[in-house]
Amino acid sequence: MALQVGIVGGGQLARMMIAPAVELGIGIRVLAEQSGMSAQLAASQVGDYHDLDTVLAFAKDVDVITFDHEHVPQDVLRGLVAAGVAVHPGPDALTFAQDKLRMRARLAELGLPQPEWAAVADAAALDAFISDHGGRAVVKTPRGGYDGKGVRVVVAAAEAAEWFDGLGEGEELLAEELVAFDRELAQQIARRPSGDFVIYPVVETVQQDGVCAEAIAPAPHSAGRLADVAAEIGEAIATGLDVTGMLAVELFQTGDGRLLVNELAMRPHNSGHWTQDGAITSQFEQHLRAVLDLPLGDTALRARHAVMVNILGGPREGALADRMPDALAAHPAAKIHTYGKDPRPGRKVGHVNVADDDLDTAVYEARAAAAFFLD
């Protein structure tokens, strides 16, 4: 019988695991939050991932449970493990992706480079941190934030007043120094439960309103020390946090050449979408291999450069499908991926990949093809 993977979450990341699962002869099932989601092609069940009984019923007869997002509660994760279900990444690792304060503390224990930070329980503590860090700081809600949500740059604690008002007993916010960085990078690594791992080339990412808009692989001017240090950080986090499956480490590169850890994602990640068409093994195939403890695939690029450009928002009127023929005709080398989502301002509705030996050509073709779907 074919190996069976159960994915909790019905978004575009689950959707993009379907094709490589079919190619590898792996059965794939999706627990979607609601009907009509991106991964509906493989949605075998619709239900609440906060409910242990629902997730246990979904996990019956699968070889491993993995995730489209990191939001499954710890009691559900640990209930699965207690019932004998293989869960990758496991609850001990996922707690560091779910709670930014725990992540910061663990990275500090591992001696890894990161922005200066503090847990702040009240406005006075945040104002003191701001004062000690040049009059500005980044404040984050430790849990639940993504794509720029739950993150603010502030000059006074009053700008986060409602977050403090919403804290429960013993809860705190995360304050970080506002890093003066030259650019943002992302390092991806895949790790099997047996401990084997593979590393992808470090990429440069471009953010737009807190959302990843573009990724360039490999990051320009990254050969040598920078790539080595990024890979060492990725390996140290994957092993130190016992991550299984895909791990994305988002990094700041500072003007003096330092790399600082910004965020972690323990799943396929937007910064790795270029791998679908630009690497020998995509992050989606690699994640399936890793969580099933199968031999990992080659991470080398298919051309000298690969570029991913997100389609953010989509057209104001009509569907993406209406624009597809013209985009395909104008840019036959572009690989266009859509998510089955209705257009909405700022929403990730698809992306374009281009691999080419000339970086300028790859950037132009990817941007131009994505522009067909925007007004």
Side-chain angles (χ1 to χ4, degrees):
M1 182 178 175
L3 292 169
Q4 301 288 323
V5 174
I7 303 173
V8 178
Q12 65 261 25
L13 301 179
R15 176 190 181 99
M16 288 183 275
M17 285 188 244
I18 297 172
V22 171
E23 292 165 357
L24 291 171
I26 294 168
I28 192 165
R29 303 177 187 179
V30 171
L31 175 61
E33 295 89 330
Q34 57 192 35
S35 59
M37 294 189 70
S38 290
Q40 60 184 319
L41 289 171
S44 55
Q45 187 175 334
V46 174
D48 183 3
Y49 62 79
H50 297 88
D51 180 67
L52 177 57
D53 290 338
T54 297
V55 182
L56 281 172
F58 170 70
K60 185 180 179 182
D61 300 326
V62 303
D63 294 282
V64 64
I65 287 290
T66 192
F67 310 96
D68 173 85
H69 56 71
E70 292 105 339
H71 305 313
V72 179
Q74 280 288 317
D75 61 339
V76 173
L77 297 171
R78 296 189 184 280
L80 287 167
V81 173
V85 178
V87 178
H88 295 295
D92 289 342
L94 279 169
T95 189
F96 299 111
Q98 294 173 337
D99 189 321
K100 293 181 177 66
L101 280 170
R102 296 199 65 183
M103 176 197 77
R104 288 291 179 217
R106 180 60 179 142
L107 295 184
E109 290 173 353
L110 294 172
L112 292 167
Q114 55 183 335
E116 293 186 18
W117 65 279
V120 291
D122 53 40
L126 179 54
D127 276 329
F129 184 90
I130 292 169
S131 178
D132 291 341
H133 292 84
R136 299 176 76 195
V138 179
V139 62
K140 299 179 179 180
T141 55
R143 304 180 67 87
Y146 67 96
D147 284 347
K149 298 177 178 66
V151 179
R152 291 179 185 171
V153 177
V154 301
V155 298
E159 296 175 77
E162 73 272 26
W163 287 356
F164 282 117
D165 291 343
L167 293 178
E169 184 176 354
E171 293 182 337
E172 299 170 302
L173 299 178
L174 170 62
E176 297 178 352
E177 68 168 309
L178 183 62
V179 176
F181 58 86
D182 281 358
R183 60 176 176 171
E184 295 186 69
L185 305 172
Q187 176 64 69
Q188 285 197 302
I189 180 169
R191 182 171 177 268
R192 297 168 60 181
S194 59
D196 293 341
F197 64 90
V198 291
I199 293 175
Y200 284 88
V202 65
V203 305
E204 179 175 347
T205 62
V206 178
Q207 310 299 312
Q208 178 179 313
D209 297 326
V211 178
C212 180
E214 298 183 2
I216 301 172
H221 313 296
S222 63
R225 178 186 172 278
L226 189 150
D228 292 343
V229 172
E232 289 169 4
I233 291 171
E235 179 185 352
I237 293 174
T239 56
L241 275 56
D242 194 24
V243 180
T244 46
M246 287 298 308
L247 166 70
V249 181
E250 296 181 70
L251 301 159
F252 295 131
Q253 181 183 359
T254 65
D256 56 5
R258 291 177 300 148
L259 295 183
L260 305 176
V261 178
N262 179 24
E263 302 274 2
L264 304 179
M266 298 178 189
R267 50 174 168 77
H269 187 255
N270 202 164
S271 63
H273 288 356
W274 66 271
T275 62
Q276 281 178 298
D277 308 291
I280 291 174
T281 310
S282 79
Q283 64 168 344
F284 303 102
E285 177 182 338
Q286 200 79 274
H287 187 71
L288 294 170
R289 291 187 184 211
V291 300
L292 286 166
D293 209 11
L294 296 172
L296 299 175
D298 193 336
T299 60
L301 276 78
R302 294 183 177 274
R304 289 182 61 193
H305 306 280
V307 174
M308 184 281 305
V309 174
N310 268 334
I311 303 171
L312 296 175
R316 285 192 291 268
E317 294 184 4
L320 271 70
D322 300 335
R323 310 285 184 96
M324 188 68 76
D326 288 342
L328 295 175
H331 301 282
K335 298 295 185 181
I336 302 170
H337 303 266
T338 59
Y339 304 158
K341 293 180 174 181
D342 294 330
R344 189 176 69 203
R347 191 182 202 187
K348 295 177 184 176
V349 294
H351 67 269
V352 176
N353 289 331
V354 175
D356 198 279
D357 287 337
D358 181 74
L359 178 56
D360 289 342
T361 298
V363 169
Y364 168 77
E365 291 289 333
R367 289 177 178 172
F372 270 85
F373 300 93
L374 305 174
D375 292 324

